Amino acid sequence: GNVATNNIANDTTVTIAGTTINASGTVAALANSNEVLRNYGGAASVSANSGSISAALGGTVVVNTITGNTNAIVLNSNIVALGGGDGVSVQDYTITKDTPASSTSNSSTSSSVNGADVAEELLQDKGTHSVTGNDSTKTGFIVNADAKHTLRDISVTAGVAASTSGVAGALDATVAVNTINGKTSAEVNDTNVNDIVGSNGNLTLNDTANVFVNAYDKVDMQSHIGTLSVGGAATIGAGAAPAVDVNNINRETTAKIVGVAGTDLNKNIVNGYNIDVNALGETDITITESGLAVGAGASGGGAVTGSVSVNHFTGLTNAMVNGIISNAHQLTVEANRVAD
């Protein structure tokens, strides 16, 4: 038999806290992570003799786990970022989808502006979705968290038992347990952004002084398991080949700007030409299980095969602007989750 336990635990955090920054260019807090776990394994058992009994037992058990948080956080600070110069390059994501049939999924999104919350259980489209990421230059104040989690598992078990004169039996099983958990967040908390007044007593910002708060989280899982069991004998042959796949995914994606007021140091001013707060969670899953059992004998043969898949997928996607005073040419708050 074969037993494998694989674990990736990765936390990536960028924090700007208790800081005053005055920049004519761009201020950016960028957190990026990319975990990849690959497992390819299996077991084989063979028993062959000319006696009365021949038996082959084989098993493969695999446990794969990816956990961790990716956070870009700005806290209790005063930031001026006018966006002059070259800016910074980040991945900007767009969603393309067909017009498919629909079914319910245990994912939810929510968005809010100054406490007016909207939350709903998604009616997920089960057709083809694509999320495309392209390099995009951003200027101004950038808080970006980008996390990708890739899991590839192929596990196979095979067993053969043969007897020329008696009874032969083969019992082989494959079990895979895959888990991906954690959170990706881009947050601006209790922070003044571009709290400035021009010489004329008015706020004047050009089109480079933008505020971009973005969180993107992607799960890409492929799990393929299989079992082959063959029992052949002159009298009785029997084979059994179960395959079990258990998959758990729980990821949270959050982008938010939250201000605080009513203290001696009010920090709730967020000004920008364009203010974008975006949260996008993406889940792409492919799962297959197969079992083949063969039993053959002159007097009798039996074969038992079966596959079981237990899947628990949950996701929370949240975009929020709350408790701020803002002057902006345009404000966009958007939360999306794509699951295929």
Side-chain angles (χ1 to χ4, degrees):
N2 180 51
V3 176
T5 301
N6 307 298
N7 182 63
I8 296 176
N10 176 43
D11 287 331
T12 302
T13 300
V14 173
T15 303
I16 298 175
T19 302
T20 297
I21 299 174
N22 291 287
S24 60
T26 293
V27 175
L30 310 176
N32 297 283
S33 64
N34 187 6
E35 304 100 22
V36 179
L37 193 160
R38 295 185 176 92
N39 179 81
Y40 308 115
S45 60
V46 178
S47 176
N49 61 54
S50 59
S52 59
I53 297 176
S54 178
L57 302 175
T60 298
V61 177
V62 178
V63 179
N64 300 308
T65 304
I66 299 176
T67 60
N69 304 315
T70 301
N71 303 312
I73 299 173
V74 180
L75 174 67
N76 191 29
S77 295
N78 292 282
I79 307 293
V80 173
L82 300 182
D86 295 334
V88 298
S89 179
V90 299
Q91 285 282 292
D92 211 353
Y93 296 94
T94 57
I95 303 171
T96 303
K97 61 182 178 181
D98 297 332
T99 307
S102 298
S103 66
T104 58
S105 173
N106 188 20
S107 296
S108 63
T109 64
S110 66
S111 60
S112 68
V113 177
N114 283 342
D117 294 328
V118 177
E120 61 180 345
E121 189 78 4
L122 287 184
L123 191 67
Q124 289 285 20
D125 294 325
K126 303 302 286 185
T128 299
H129 300 71
S130 61
V131 177
T132 303
N134 296 299
D135 288 335
S136 178
T137 299
K138 304 294 183 181
T139 61
F141 179 48
I142 316 301
V143 181
N144 191 75
D146 190 303
K148 302 178 180 69
H149 326 278
T150 302
L151 193 156
R152 297 286 186 270
D153 180 70
I154 299 177
S155 301
V156 179
T157 306
V160 178
S163 174
T164 59
S165 61
V167 177
L171 172 61
D172 300 277
T174 305
V175 177
V177 179
N178 302 307
T179 301
I180 301 178
N181 291 330
K183 177 181 180 180
T184 298
S185 65
E187 303 181 15
V188 179
N189 297 312
D190 309 338
T191 293
N192 288 330
V193 180
N194 295 329
D195 182 16
I196 54 177
V197 177
S199 59
N200 59 359
N202 298 318
L203 173 68
T204 302
L205 295 174
N206 61 30
D207 61 4
T208 62
N210 300 303
V211 177
F212 181 74
V213 180
N214 181 75
Y216 172 71
D217 186 272
K218 180 177 181 179
V219 172
D220 184 0
M221 176 189 289
Q222 293 186 19
S223 180
H224 309 284
I225 67 172
T227 306
L228 171 65
S229 185
V230 178
T235 305
I236 298 175
V244 179
D245 200 10
V246 179
N247 301 288
N248 299 292
I249 296 175
N250 185 4
R251 294 293 307 180
E252 179 179 341
T253 309
T254 298
K256 67 179 183 178
I257 302 175
V258 177
V260 61
T263 67
D264 292 338
L265 297 174
N266 290 342
K267 287 188 169 62
N268 61 347
I269 306 298
V270 179
N271 298 320
Y273 188 80
N274 290 322
I275 300 177
D276 294 295
V277 181
N278 304 312
L280 172 58
E282 182 183 4
T283 306
D284 189 357
I285 303 169
T286 302
I287 299 169
T288 62
E289 310 91 12
S290 60
L292 176 61
V294 178
S299 300
V304 177
T305 184
S307 62
V308 176
S309 181
V310 179
N311 303 304
H312 186 213
F313 306 144
T314 59
L316 174 64
T317 308
N318 180 41
M320 178 173 63
V321 173
N322 191 26
I324 69 169
I325 298 171
S326 180
N327 287 282
H329 172 71
Q330 177 173 292
L331 169 65
T332 302
V333 182
E334 188 171 1
N336 291 286
R337 177 162 290 276
V338 175
D340 286 326

